[in-house]
Amino acid sequence: MPSLSEETSGRREMLQPGDVIGIVGGGQLGRMMALSARYHGLRIGVLDPVPDCPAAQVADFQIVAGYEDRSAIGELADRSDVLTYEFENVDADALDGVRGRVAIPQGTDLLRVTQDRVDEKTFINGHGIATAPWRQVDDLDQLDRAAGELGYPCVLKTRRGGYDGHGQVILRSRDDLSMAAVRSGGGGKTGAFPPSILEGLVPFDYEASILVAGNGADYVTFPVVRNEHRHNILHMTLAPAAMPESTADRARQLAITLAHGFELAGTLAIELFVMPDGGLVVNELAPRPHNSGHYTIEACSIDQFDAHVRGISGWPLPVPRLLSPAVMVNVLGQHVAPVRAQMGRHPEWNVHDYGKAEIRRDRKMGHVTVLTDDPVAAAGQLEASGCWKDQE
């Protein structure tokens, strides 16, 4: 992987109204990104294999093709002034192949680092920022040794891919190594093992996240928020996180440090573990707007999608201000019917629907944001509605 100083990502001139942003990926993040771009007078093209995907519903055109289809990526590049991506599972080599035809302000180093958990941890630690203790493991013998070094319990994750808990398993004792053997598909034989990372479990107090955005030179941060996950899926975000200002300052400082390290253009999400002593441990990075930042649409002076669009467009970024505390809760497939049944009785609910054609259990179909002076009380009222009872 080239160093950031070696990487060139195309021209950095400011986009003008009427210019085209090509988005690789057509899910809900692309949809909200496209809506923001439209408010700024920009046009949108989308590459996604699903016809009439959420982002395509609000775009100027869609190219229906797989994310690895280099011909299709070339067509998107030729029809766009800037390319961006809305999720990590994008072929970085394919993007590099169109560098001479279109600007890619985010570059592909950011993409490559965040696609590989070992590279990600190495990058974070290399900037003096703490993560969970970890070991690279490429076979079952290495796994056995690494677990002995880190201690049980520990969590085994594939180096690449995986989301919302997929591609990982908790090992609570040496007896659980057999689970890793089954997971490897190698019948327990040494060497028949996917490239993985083993992480020690962190005894954190709660989970949090912070968004940082930039235009390649200047960087701004959003408030630190507190997150609650259920079944490895983000359930609820409370903004801002109730934490000492000194802890929030450290979160902002580490976010700016990472942004400088990436020469960030666009929005980057940083998931954190907050320790009982107030220390911060970085869990994961997302090179794009993030589920935990959806509250910014109603609650901030500039939202995460506006910040992303402005950043990749080469425009200056104002410092985001929290206009109101807020609570955001995800609407998964099993929540759609109860939320639609009750939304007429809750004027305080800002309901966002992602326009997905197929409703499936645990699929993110939308979210609800409530502006409030008391996020804890508002969270309790949302839970009391019964719409999210299935995840308790």
Side-chain angles (χ1 to χ4, degrees):
M1 182 177 70
S3 68
L4 291 176
S5 61
E6 294 170 335
E7 183 184 64
T8 58
S9 55
R11 64 175 175 82
R12 287 290 181 91
E13 294 94 39
M14 290 175 56
L15 291 187
Q16 299 296 318
D19 284 344
V20 179
I21 296 177
I23 305 175
V24 181
Q28 65 266 22
L29 297 178
R31 179 188 183 92
M32 290 180 273
M33 201 183 293
L35 288 169
S36 172
R38 281 198 172 281
Y39 279 119
H40 289 86
L42 300 165
R43 295 188 178 277
I44 292 293
V46 173
L47 171 66
D48 194 276
V50 179
D52 196 40
C53 60
Q57 294 168 16
V58 296
D60 293 277
F61 66 90
Q62 178 184 7
I63 299 171
V64 180
Y67 308 122
E68 73 291 341
D69 187 326
R70 299 200 174 195
S71 174
I73 289 176
E75 180 185 349
L76 183 66
D78 291 340
R79 299 176 67 179
S80 303
D81 296 286
V82 159
L83 288 190
T84 187
Y85 39 83
E86 65 130 20
F87 71 127
E88 293 89 320
N89 296 325
V90 177
D91 187 339
D93 289 339
L95 292 182
D96 281 336
V98 296
R99 286 288 186 87
R101 297 152 68 177
V102 68
I104 308 176
Q106 291 163 281
T108 52
D109 275 352
L110 172 63
L111 186 61
R112 286 189 169 92
V113 167
T114 54
Q115 283 178 337
D116 187 300
R117 289 187 170 95
V118 168
D119 290 345
E120 183 176 87
K121 291 287 194 295
T122 300
F123 185 90
I124 295 167
N125 295 156
H127 284 80
I129 297 169
T131 62
W134 61 275
R135 299 288 187 277
Q136 177 178 338
V137 290
D138 296 319
D139 59 47
L140 292 176
D141 286 343
Q142 285 185 3
L143 173 61
D144 194 6
R145 290 194 298 271
E149 293 170 1
L150 296 179
Y152 295 98
C154 48
V155 57
L156 180 66
K157 302 178 181 179
T158 54
R159 282 184 63 165
R160 299 175 68 87
Y163 64 95
D164 291 343
H166 297 285
Q168 60 184 266
V169 60
I170 295 178
L171 307 178
R172 302 193 180 279
S173 72
R174 199 165 186 268
D175 293 338
D176 289 338
L177 293 180
S178 60
M179 287 195 297
V182 172
R183 172 180 169 275
S184 72
K189 297 179 181 179
T190 300
F193 196 82
S196 302
I197 185 172
L198 187 71
E199 298 179 12
L201 286 186
V202 176
F204 59 88
D205 191 10
Y206 59 92
E207 296 178 79
S209 60
I210 184 170
L211 300 168
V212 58
N215 59 12
D218 302 309
Y219 310 102
V220 298
T221 60
F222 287 81
V224 186
V225 299
R226 178 168 179 154
N227 298 321
E228 178 189 338
H229 290 78
R230 294 183 181 175
H231 309 298
N232 295 309
I233 302 172
L234 180 65
H235 169 59
M236 183 176 286
T237 294
L238 279 68
M243 60 172 50
E245 187 59 28
S246 59
T247 305
D249 280 340
R250 287 196 298 274
R252 288 190 285 267
Q253 289 165 9
L254 73 82
I256 294 295
T257 296
L258 291 174
H260 275 287
F262 284 119
E263 297 178 6
L264 178 68
T267 296
L268 172 72
I270 304 166
E271 297 182 51
L272 303 166
F273 294 134
V274 181
M275 305 302 287
D277 64 358
L280 297 173
V281 172
V282 173
N283 180 28
E284 291 184 345
L285 307 178
R288 51 171 172 74
H290 191 257
N291 195 170
S292 68
H294 292 342
Y295 77 95
T296 61
I297 297 171
E298 282 85 21
C300 291
S301 57
I302 176 175
D303 69 52
Q304 64 168 339
F305 301 100
D306 290 337
H308 185 80
V309 169
R310 292 183 70 94
I312 65 173
S313 298
W315 299 348
L317 288 165
V319 176
R321 291 182 295 114
L322 184 68
L323 303 178
S324 170
V327 177
M328 187 284 303
V329 59
N330 269 329
V331 177
L332 305 183
Q334 60 268 35
H335 309 140
V336 171
V339 166
R340 289 178 179 176
Q342 291 202 34
M343 59 188 289
R345 300 196 295 273
H346 291 280
E348 76 280 10
W349 288 8
N350 294 282
V351 180
H352 295 253
D353 187 283
Y354 299 153
K356 295 181 179 179
E358 182 182 359
I359 298 174
R360 296 197 306 265
R361 183 177 181 84
D362 288 342
R363 189 184 196 194
K364 293 171 184 172
M365 302 298 298
H367 68 269
V368 173
T369 300
V370 175
L371 303 182
T372 175
D373 292 329
D374 189 339
V376 173
Q381 291 163 4
L382 283 162
E383 298 290 9
S385 72
C387 293
W388 292 271
K389 188 175 182 180
D390 74 288
Q391 283 196 302
E392 293 178 355

